[in-house]
Amino acid sequence: MMPEAKGKSRTLNPIVAGASLDMCNNDIPEAPAVRDKRDYRGVRLIGQEKSELRFVDCHFRELALERCHFRKIHLERCVIDSVQLIACNISELTLDGCEISGVVVKNSEINQCMIQAGALAKSGLHNSFVEGLTLNQVQVQELQLETLKLSHWVAVNSSVHALTLEKSTLSDASWYNCSLADSQYVESEIYRQAMSNCRLSDCHYVQVKGSHFVWNDCQLTGMTLAGLPLNGASLIGSTLNGCNLARSNLSNAVLTRATLNDCVLSQTDMTFCQAESATFNRCDLRQAGLQNARLNGVSFTSTAMTGGNFSGADLRSARLTDGSFHDVACRDGVRLHQVQGEGWSSAAPEPLLLHIDSWYQLNQPGVPEAVLPSLPRPAGGGSRYV
């Protein structure tokens, strides 16, 4: 028995030694090296590799970085001025509370860059690929994105002024509680742009292609969206003031509870769009196509509609205050039950809906009003029950 045990021990010893050597190669790396309150001026780096560095309260100015590789770099409360990056590879870059100005990036690749609680001014990215750019509480002034492939953009609680996107591709762009002003998208492709609770003014989309545009609970002022592929776009609860959407494709778009003031929608394709309880004030809908549109409870005030096509549209419980609307609304298949407005008292109601509405007024389903006195009775029209 003893010799056999010795043989086993001889066999196990090399295995244990080999395992311990493998573990040495997987040691946890040390914390990033810290550079504190240093001034880097007039530095030029070519072909350098830097990783796991942290710069705090440092000043970078007039730097030229070419064919460099940076990984896991963290800059905190730094000032960055007049920096050029050419043919660089950057991954996991974080800038926290930094003042950035005059940064130019060319022919580079950036993977996961986050800028938060700082300012970015007079900078540009050109002919580069960016995978993941996040702005959180950042003040942006004059940012140029040219010939860029930008995937996964996120902006939260930020203010952006004079943003230019030209000849670029933008995918998966998310904006929340941001302001965007005096900006333009030119000859670019945009896919899956979602904005919520944002304020946009004087922004122009010119020769833009793409799909899946969302502006929910936003305020759009003086925007140019003419001729855009906005089919299926969502503007739920948004307010549009003085916007140009002429000749755009808004088929199957959702404008529920939206308010449009002084907007141009002439020759716009709005077939099968959903605009329940939307409001159109002083808008131009001439020669617009609203075939089979759902316009329940919509309100039209002083809106031009000459040549518009409302065939098959649902206008039940709508408010039509412009008498000229008679010429375009009285088409085959237009539903005008309980339409309100001057000259519409003689509009033929739908008998079935009248019976349904009367029944619901007497037999409202659910918890009795004695238990929930705040529960409202349904309004006239009854269209939501069918």
Side-chain angles (χ1 to χ4, degrees):
M1 297 298 294
M2 292 299 294
E4 185 178 356
K6 289 183 179 179
K8 288 185 179 180
S9 64
R10 292 194 187 100
T11 305
L12 289 174
N13 283 337
I15 297 176
V16 172
S20 63
L21 290 175
D22 292 339
M23 290 297 293
C24 292
N25 295 331
N26 295 324
D27 288 343
I28 299 174
E30 297 181 359
V34 178
R35 306 290 188 267
D36 191 8
K37 297 181 181 179
R38 298 190 182 184
D39 192 353
Y40 300 89
R41 179 184 301 184
V43 178
R44 183 178 183 184
L45 297 179
I46 300 177
Q48 296 290 317
E49 292 188 10
K50 305 290 182 181
S51 63
E52 299 186 13
L53 294 174
R54 181 184 177 193
F55 298 87
V56 180
D57 295 319
C58 294
H59 198 156
F60 302 87
R61 68 178 71 180
E62 299 177 2
L63 304 186
L65 311 175
E66 186 174 351
R67 301 193 305 277
C68 293
H69 184 190
F70 302 104
R71 187 179 71 88
K72 291 188 178 180
I73 305 297
H74 181 89
L75 295 95
E76 186 174 345
R77 300 189 306 273
C78 295
V79 177
I80 305 169
D81 186 16
S82 301
V83 176
Q84 286 192 349
L85 295 95
I86 301 176
C88 292
N89 190 310
I90 304 170
S91 61
E92 300 181 62
L93 173 64
T94 304
L95 301 101
D96 191 353
C98 296
E99 300 292 328
I100 308 167
S101 178
V103 174
V104 178
V105 180
K106 295 182 179 179
N107 305 318
S108 297
E109 182 174 339
I110 301 175
N111 183 21
Q112 301 304 326
C113 175
M114 173 180 284
I115 306 174
Q116 57 185 8
L120 174 63
K122 298 181 180 179
S123 299
L125 285 81
H126 309 272
N127 196 30
S128 298
F129 175 78
V130 180
E131 174 67 32
L133 177 59
T134 301
L135 306 177
N136 183 16
Q137 300 181 29
V138 180
Q139 304 293 321
V140 179
Q141 179 79 25
E142 295 186 30
L143 176 61
Q144 185 176 12
L145 309 176
E146 183 181 10
T147 321
L148 195 70
K149 290 186 177 179
L150 175 54
S151 176
H152 194 61
W153 158 289
V154 178
V156 180
N157 299 325
S158 298
S159 174
V160 180
H161 185 270
L163 168 67
T164 301
L165 182 76
E166 185 175 359
K167 297 180 180 178
S168 300
T169 301
L170 175 61
S171 303
D172 292 320
S174 300
W175 299 72
Y176 176 75
N177 195 30
C178 295
S179 62
L180 179 62
D182 296 327
S183 300
Q184 57 181 348
Y185 298 82
V186 182
E187 298 180 19
S188 297
E189 297 182 9
I190 303 176
Y191 300 97
R192 297 177 298 279
Q193 172 188 278
M195 293 189 176
S196 177
N197 196 32
C198 293
R199 299 159 302 282
L200 297 88
S201 61
D202 296 320
C203 298
H204 308 288
Y205 289 64
V206 182
Q207 298 182 22
V208 170
K209 299 178 181 179
S211 61
H212 299 90
F213 293 89
V214 175
W215 294 279
N216 286 345
D217 298 311
C218 294
Q219 182 171 332
L220 287 67
T221 303
M223 291 192 56
T224 301
L225 302 170
L228 293 187
L230 300 177
N231 46 306
S234 179
L235 294 114
I236 298 174
S238 292
T239 300
L240 287 75
N241 299 310
C243 296
N244 185 0
L245 296 96
R247 303 179 308 281
S248 293
N249 182 2
L250 280 167
S251 60
N252 294 289
V254 183
L255 292 88
T256 303
R257 302 189 312 277
T259 300
L260 292 85
N261 302 312
D262 304 297
C263 293
V264 179
L265 298 102
S266 57
Q267 303 180 39
T268 298
D269 181 3
M270 299 177 68
T271 56
F272 290 100
C273 76
Q274 301 179 40
E276 295 93 340
S277 302
T279 301
F280 294 80
N281 295 320
R282 303 175 303 278
C283 293
D284 184 356
L285 277 166
R286 290 176 293 182
Q287 299 182 358
L290 290 100
Q291 301 94 315
N292 301 300
R294 295 176 59 181
L295 305 171
N296 309 65
V298 73
S299 176
F300 290 105
T301 303
S302 302
T303 295
M305 303 181 185
T306 305
N309 190 346
F310 286 78
S311 298
D314 190 344
L315 286 157
R316 288 175 288 174
S317 301
R319 293 184 58 85
L320 310 176
T321 59
D322 194 340
S324 63
F325 190 69
H326 287 77
D327 299 333
V328 294
C330 296
R331 304 286 184 89
D332 293 337
V334 179
R335 304 188 70 177
L336 299 171
H337 179 78
Q338 297 289 6
V339 167
Q340 304 174 33
E342 183 180 356
W344 289 96
S345 58
S346 59
E350 299 182 29
L352 175 61
L353 294 183
L354 287 177
H355 288 299
I356 292 175
D357 189 53
S358 299
W359 187 89
Y360 269 96
Q361 292 295 331
L362 297 175
N363 304 278
Q364 183 177 353
V367 182
E369 288 188 359
V371 179
L372 293 177
S374 60
L375 190 65
R377 285 187 175 275
S383 59
R384 59 191 178 281
Y385 305 118
V386 179

